[in-house]
Amino acid sequence: MEKIDLIDAHVHLYDEENLSSLRWMDKSLPISCEHTVTEYLVQNWNQGTSRFNFKGIIYIESDVKTELSSGLEGFTPAVRELKFVIEQSVKEEGSILAIVPWAPVPLGPQILELYIDKLFEDINPRKISLIKGFRFLLQDKPDGIMVSKKFIESIKWMAKNKLVFELGIDFHRRGDGQYREVCVLFESVKNATFVIDHFGKPNLALDGFSGNLEAWKRSMYNIHETAVKNNNAVYMKLSGLFSELDKHAENISYEEIVQRATPYFEYALQTFGPARVIWGSDWPVCKLNGGETAFPLWRNLTMDILNNLEASDDEKQRVFSINAVDAYNIHVN
């Protein structure tokens, strides 16, 4: 088999100055230190690999501290975050293929446009073209927010402007309530592109595993059917499962992780299809429950599962790069 092109479709970046702006960061965490593009390349690609050709990354906003009620001033951390990522794209030219910043989606299109004008100030137009969508993380937000009128109107605005909405929800901790709201959102918006992060964050804990899997399958089926009915392009991102394990990955055998993860891979491929699943590492967050070798572990685990599922070479290429190119409308050399 020839080498597979790889686009890492879920990477977070931050330097020392940005640490205090991250909503989830704690000084005790092992990733509470600089994580730049250069650091990503050194940690994950310095040794090379016989299986893959690295093509670049897609940057996903890192959940900075923003305040919806404080106007444009409340969005300052997100603006600062983007400028840092743009600097990174200059420093390691060609490594960042797309950027998905934070956006005040619940406030409606009018505020969204004002924010984007502020976001793009003093940025080279060529670099602005890297921005392919937006994310407002929903996994920890109150019920009802994604089905509010202004939220829906913002997503319609994104669809009109051919921008992706990155959908971060949490089945593990929030149950299927958020999934039902996703279906309402999909029924309210037509012709939009969505990327569901981290398999929708299912529960991979061993206790109650089977029941959690079946409930997740039902929700995924409903989401897919609703999306198809409303002509929405929905991609499932194969990422983030280490965070849903009940133990640190180093305390679970490789074979057991494969066993737990395989049903989720299999159902995602069956339900969304090989042309609608995308690989991402969730670096450096993946290291919290996956250890320092989480990146190669997840990359190799994905390939081994795809081999076990008898995926074709074309399907593997789609998972690791082609589908990301299609979803985010990017160009790769």
Side-chain angles (χ1 to χ4, degrees), residues 29-310:
L29 294 176
I31 62 172
S32 180
C33 54
E34 181 174 86
H35 283 81
T36 62
V37 176
T38 302
E39 190 70 17
Y40 170 90
L41 295 172
V42 169
Q43 283 194 18
N44 302 319
W45 294 100
N46 197 35
Q47 301 302 318
T49 173
S50 60
R51 281 178 160 182
F52 300 97
N53 290 315
F54 173 68
K55 307 302 285 187
I57 68 173
I58 296 173
Y59 174 80
I60 307 298
E61 65 92 18
S62 301
D63 194 21
V64 293
K65 297 174 183 176
T66 50
E67 294 292 339
L68 293 178
S69 61
S70 300
L72 290 178
E73 289 300 315
F75 309 152
T76 299
V79 175
R80 188 167 60 244
E81 178 187 47
L82 176 64
K83 292 187 184 304
F84 165 70
V85 176
I86 294 295
E87 291 171 1
Q88 290 290 297
S89 73
V90 173
K91 185 175 181 180
E92 295 285 356
E93 188 68 40
S95 291
I96 298 180
L97 303 176
I99 298 171
V100 179
W102 177 90
V105 181
L107 299 183
Q110 185 176 0
I111 300 299
L112 184 59
E113 288 184 343
L114 290 173
Y115 162 73
I116 290 173
D117 288 343
K118 180 70 174 176
L119 195 67
F120 291 173
E121 281 182 353
D122 305 321
I123 292 180
N124 185 312
R126 185 174 64 87
K127 292 299 182 180
I128 290 175
S129 67
L130 290 174
I131 297 172
K132 301 299 184 179
F134 293 97
R135 183 168 85 155
F136 180 84
L137 197 58
L138 290 158
Q139 63 189 36
D140 59 346
K141 301 302 186 294
D143 292 341
I145 194 168
M146 81 174 88
V147 295
S148 64
K149 181 179 179 181
K150 287 185 177 180
F151 193 101
I152 289 169
E153 290 302 314
S154 289
I155 303 301
K156 288 180 178 179
W157 182 91
M158 289 187 202
K160 181 180 178 181
N161 288 277
K162 300 188 183 306
L163 294 164
V164 174
F165 182 63
E166 198 85 8
L167 191 57
I169 51 178
D170 191 341
F171 187 80
H172 187 165
R173 296 158 192 87
R174 300 290 296 276
D176 63 358
Q178 287 193 324
Y179 283 62
R180 289 193 295 269
E181 290 191 7
V182 170
C183 288
V184 174
L185 176 63
F186 287 1
E187 288 173 347
S188 304
V189 181
K190 317 272 188 208
N191 305 306
T193 300
F194 298 88
V195 177
I196 300 175
D197 293 340
H198 310 328
F199 291 82
K201 296 181 77 71
N203 185 358
L204 262 69
L206 190 59
D207 182 33
F209 177 76
S210 179
N212 291 323
L213 173 61
E214 293 308 312
W216 176 84
K217 283 183 176 182
R218 289 192 296 271
S219 292
M220 284 297 106
Y221 177 82
N222 291 335
I223 282 176
H224 175 262
E225 292 301 295
T226 305
V228 170
K229 184 174 66 174
N230 292 282
N231 201 35
N232 291 316
V234 179
Y235 294 81
M236 174 66 74
K237 193 172 284 185
L238 307 183
S239 59
L241 287 191
F242 286 153
S243 297
E244 311 313 317
L245 292 169
D246 50 347
K247 298 178 182 177
H248 195 283
E250 292 177 351
N251 296 323
I252 306 175
S253 71
Y254 184 82
E255 291 74 20
E256 185 174 348
I257 297 174
V258 168
Q259 184 179 13
R260 292 198 207 180
T262 294
Y264 292 94
F265 277 81
E266 184 173 28
Y267 195 74
L269 287 163
Q270 288 176 349
T271 303
F272 293 89
R276 290 289 173 85
V277 291
I278 299 171
W279 188 86
S281 70
D282 196 25
W283 188 90
V285 178
C286 61
K287 296 194 290 184
L288 289 177
N289 214 37
E292 286 299 316
T293 61
F295 179 92
L297 178 62
W298 182 246
R299 182 184 61 196
N300 295 336
L301 181 146
T302 299
M303 181 62 84
D304 287 343
I305 290 177
L306 292 177
N307 285 333
N308 292 343
L309 295 175
E310 299 182 346

Side-chain angles (χ1 to χ4, degrees), residues 1-5 303 306-307 310-320 322:
M1 183 180 71
E2 295 184 2
K3 282 189 176 183
I4 296 290
D5 290 343
M303 181 62 84
L306 292 177
N307 285 333
E310 299 182 346
S312 67
D313 288 352
D314 177 70
E315 289 169 342
K316 293 171 191 172
Q317 191 64 75
R318 285 193 161 279
V319 169
F320 281 108
I322 294 174

